[in-house]
Amino acid sequence: MVTLDQLRADLEKVLKIDREIHSVEVRGDTIEECLSDAALQLDSKISNLEYEVIEKGFNGVMGVAKKPWVLRVYQNSLFIQKKMEEALAEAGGKVAQEETKNVDVDGIYHVRRFGDGIYLKVVLPVGKGRPVNFNDVLIEAKRADTRTLDDALIKKLCAEGSNDDYAEIGSYSRVPAGDAVFAVDIAKDEMNATITASPPTSSGSEISMDAILQKLRIQGVVAGILEDKIIEFVDNPVYNIPVEVAKAIPPQDGNDAYIDYKVETDHSKLRLKEADNGQVDFKQLNLIENVVEGQVLAVKVLPQQGKGGKTIMGRYLEAKNGKDMNIPLGQNVKIGDDGLSIVATCNGEVLLQGDKLSVEPVREEKGVNIKTGHITFMGTVIVRGNVEDGFNIKADGNVEVYGTVGNCRIEAGGDIVISQGVSGRHEGYISTPKTLWAHHVENVKIEAGEYVVITDSIVNSEVTAMKKIVLKGKRAQIVGGHLFATEEITAKNLGSPAGGTETVLEVGIDPKAKKRMQELQEMQAKLVAELEEVELNIAHLEEQRKIRRSLPKDKEENLNQLITRKNEIDDETAKASEEINEIDERLKNLKVAGKVNISGTAYAGSKIRVRDREDELKTNVKAVTFYYENGFVRRGKYNPNADEIKGPDGYTTN
């Protein structure tokens, strides 16, 4: 049985929905064009609209007597109801938060004179704010030209508010000659409209919202009317200054298609977790990002259609649709059944190579020795034991060694992780375009494209890092050798108390560029020596030709070869000089000044080179940072950068 209360509640619900339904009147050559225009104005999809035909259109005959369609379009009531329910749910979630805010706002009022009437707008106070005072309103409303005032209505409005609108509370003796006037200025591109008003004089009418809207309609403004700004102007008029009252609805270009990766592809940040004892347990770091067969690695997000805009005069502004793209596939992946996802076809390590996702299988060995021979693998290599002297590893992916590395050559396309140490016996070589992680290194040459992170010591080694060399742990010392880093070198102790081994650290330079500079300079020296010899031989043969007037065929060919070689040497020398100048300029403009941070002791005899300046330590120095300033290597309080260091690229298997 339906009760009266239920019926009343249902009717109130229907009434609320009806109040939320907005409609617009649109014109167009076709119904579809009218609906597109209405969807733009109502900020809704065409599927959520309903319409009534006010005037039926006619295509005419040969373009003659053509008549546009005129529709009244409004939003579907079910859509409005759903929208209200969503807004209610969202508002409900915010109630608790809003209740905790003790915001007190005083009530405000505006007294205005529109036409022949006096109008009042009252905004009620919030919280413990002061209400609008009846006497204050009365004083402002009463002027010499005031004829009538409804005191009871004023009291009611002060107590209950005016629902954000103006209510007529009386009349006054209007002098039309004193009315405020305003002009509408429409931009040439129809992208906005402003009004500029002159204030009213004695007993003149002020400018109402209806007057502004009417004038905009007369001027042909049909879209983008900024009602909030018009209300603000009416409440607080600004005279003799342009005020924007309409703004074009800009077109919204659709987003291009893109790939949403479901696996980690950004390994630019380093984070290394150090235990309380100063050691790093590499077994607990996720060194390789493993995926399993059938796992979704990425999903293509389709391009979006653009949403057209509209000038304030109703002219359509076209939007661009988003661009589509092909799904980039690498090795061991396929397109999923939905046609949009990238799925792994085998177990292994996922790599982003360029813009293509690939899955590289992981090769595991108990050790690298005479049983395995050299390891060359198109993927990641994990060695559970040691890499013995004389056996090399070359991998396109990561290289992870749980044991020690001897006199070996290890080259990787990813990170290199050596849980124990490296003893290269002055012949070992390790190269990676990314980062090397190891416990200690001794008598080895290392080249890293990013970082070198050591948890114990570097002894008598040549180490190059294009970013930083970081030593962490209880010892964290550098003894002997030559270390290069573009940005920074950080360690606990530098050099040896007894001396004897030269320890040189260089920062603030591009190691590869400097090495290339040295190679070019050596090549130039050889070319100069060769050129001197070639020119001497050319001069000798040409002297013989002058005396004899001709040369034997073999000597003539030799002379031509020497002249050709001289030209080649000139070209090679010029190119080398040009490259040297470019490198020199690049090194001079290198923004990274470079720092060396020693938390413990830097022993006498150690050499610190920052950019192109050197500081050779004559005495021991403690807790110091070496840096470049005004053409000199300065010493300051130990102050390393507080960069957090994360573990190597990817995740490991156990």
Side-chain angles (χ1 to χ4, degrees), residues 411-427:
E411 299 174 70
D415 292 317
I416 297 177
V417 182
I418 302 169
S419 296
Q420 299 303 314
V422 181
S423 181
R425 306 183 195 280
H426 299 289
E427 294 181 2

Side-chain angles (χ1 to χ4, degrees), residues 30-65:
T30 63
I31 292 178
E32 289 77 11
E33 186 179 327
C34 291
L35 290 175
S36 296
D37 187 359
L40 187 64
Q41 293 190 50
L42 295 171
D43 192 22
S44 177
K45 294 181 179 179
I46 293 177
S47 57
N48 296 326
L49 301 179
E50 295 180 359
Y51 65 91
E52 300 172 0
V53 178
I54 297 175
E55 292 183 22
K56 191 174 181 181
F58 178 60
N59 290 332
V61 180
M62 301 294 289
V64 178

Side-chain angles (χ1 to χ4, degrees), residues 74-134:
Y74 50 89
Q75 292 174 321
N76 185 291
S77 60
L78 292 176
F79 172 71
I80 293 293
Q81 182 178 355
K82 184 180 177 183
K83 200 172 178 181
M84 288 175 64
E85 288 171 355
E86 289 174 354
L88 247 153
E90 185 179 349
K94 294 180 180 178
V95 167
Q97 183 180 355
E98 291 297 326
E99 286 178 349
T100 60
K101 296 181 180 178
N102 297 319
V103 180
D104 299 325
V105 181
D106 293 342
I108 57 174
Y109 69 93
H110 303 284
V111 176
R112 296 286 175 264
R113 286 163 168 76
F114 303 140
D116 297 324
I118 302 173
Y119 291 80
L120 173 64
K121 178 178 180 180
V122 176
V123 179
L124 294 176
V126 177
K128 296 180 181 179
R130 290 178 300 178
V132 173
N133 186 281
F134 166 75

Side-chain angles (χ1 to χ4, degrees), residues 273-282 439 455-456 472-475:
K273 292 182 180 178
E274 186 177 337
D276 294 335
N277 61 2
Q279 299 293 319
V280 175
D281 185 359
F282 287 101
H439 179 263
T455 59
D456 187 87
K472 285 179 170 280
K474 283 186 175 181
R475 296 179 65 189

Side-chain angles (χ1 to χ4, degrees), residues 466-468 484-489 505-511 586-597 608-614 625-634 641:
M466 296 305 294
K467 289 187 178 178
K468 297 180 183 180
F484 301 83
T486 300
E487 297 178 9
E488 200 167 322
I489 298 176
L505 274 58
E506 293 194 45
V507 292
I509 51 97
D510 183 337
R586 192 159 68 247
L587 290 175
K588 285 179 181 177
N589 295 332
L590 193 65
K591 291 183 180 179
V592 180
K595 290 168 62 178
V596 173
N597 307 299
I608 309 294
R609 294 173 186 161
V610 185
R611 301 181 81 170
D612 56 349
R613 294 292 183 267
E614 182 177 299
T625 288
F626 299 88
Y627 60 95
Y628 182 90
E629 185 179 73
N630 298 327
F632 293 94
V633 179
R634 304 289 187 185
N641 288 338

